[in-house]
Structure formats: C-alpha cells, structure tokens
Amino acid sequence: MLDRRPATPGEWVLLSYRVPREPSTRRIAIWRKVKALGVGQISDGLVALPADARTREHLEWIAEEVIEAGGTASIWMARPATFAAERELAAGMAAARAAEYTAITAEAAAAPASTTGRQSLARRLRTELRRIQRRDYFPPAEREKAVSAVEALAVQEVSRSKRVTS
C-alpha cells in the first residue's frame, strides 16, 4: 500500500506586518480583517494561512492596507521545518474554529419558543456557519455538530409552521 502523506510539510503563505499604533482605528480594522480570515498566529505581526491563490490574495490585500496605513508588510511563502510545527499551527486554527462552532451549537440549542424568533435565529446561524466555514481550513468535529444543530433548528421550524397552518 502506498503512503500518500506528503514527504514535507505543506506550503503556507505568511504575512509579516507592523501597523502604527496611532490612529488606533486603522490598526484595529486591520487586526479584525486578519482575524476574520482565520489565520494562524505565529507571533506578533506574523500570521499564516495554508497557501492557495485565494489565501495569498487575501493576505496581499491586507498587506496593501497596512502599507496605506503607514505600516510595513510583506508576504512570504514558506514550509514549516517539521510536521510537528505544521500540526501545532493547524491545531491552533482548528481549536479557534471549534470554539466558534460550539457557540453556534449552544445558540441553536437555546432557541426561543416563538416561531418568528426561531426563523430569525435559523437564518442568522446559517449565515454565521457560512462565515466560519470560509475560514475553516482544518475542520474540527464540532463543525458537523453545529451544522446538524442548525439544520435541526430549521427542520423543527418547518414542521412547526406546517402544524400551525394545518
């Protein structure tokens, strides 16, 4: 049987950046955009994503924004020296997504009794799930639980509304 594991860790795109402390609004806006991408934080001002055209482009846009804010930024393509380093980075990213999925599951479980509230919650949670899934590079088990919880909420709402209209 062939071993299909890669011989070396995968390629990552890194963004090294420094944003001036003042005005803080630009620095905070950039930090939020970086976090919204689901990056792995290597150190202060150094983040990574698994390399592909989309992730590289996203980090390039942020680099441009950093430079426009008077900071410095550069994009790097790299491979971790060991599988352990790559696993640690990926595990941190997966743990962050797991926490987000757990929050979705809990929110779906605590759905309001009202039909309007449940419909609104189901729509909002579906949107939030899509947002999380876009930055979920290493899906944890919590992902399926969250998807199931939101689907169950939507199914309950559909069957409840059918009973009301019957």
Side-chain angles (χ1 to χ4, degrees), residues 73-151:
S74 59
I75 301 291
W76 296 82
M77 300 304 290
R79 289 184 189 277
T82 64
F83 283 112
E86 185 173 49
R87 278 191 304 271
E88 183 180 334
L89 185 57
M93 294 168 73
R97 298 304 76 77
E100 292 173 323
Y101 287 129
T102 299
I104 295 276
T105 303
E107 205 168 343
S114 75
T115 300
T116 306
R118 293 176 76 80
Q119 287 174 342
S120 175
L121 180 63
R123 278 192 304 274
R124 187 174 61 73
L125 291 180
R126 279 190 180 130
T127 300
E128 185 61 23
L129 267 177
R130 283 190 300 274
R131 199 173 293 130
I132 295 168
Q133 289 170 336
R134 281 195 297 268
R135 62 180 178 262
D136 186 1
Y137 302 97
F138 306 98
E142 291 82 359
R143 179 182 185 158
E144 287 308 312
K145 292 176 189 170
V147 168
S148 295
V150 172
E151 285 175 2

Side-chain angles (χ1 to χ4, degrees), residues 4-25:
R4 296 186 184 267
R5 289 178 295 168
T8 59
E11 193 167 46
W12 291 71
V13 59
L14 279 61
L15 168 64
S16 173
Y17 69 103
R18 182 175 300 268
V19 184
R21 295 197 81 49
E22 296 298 328
S24 63
T25 54

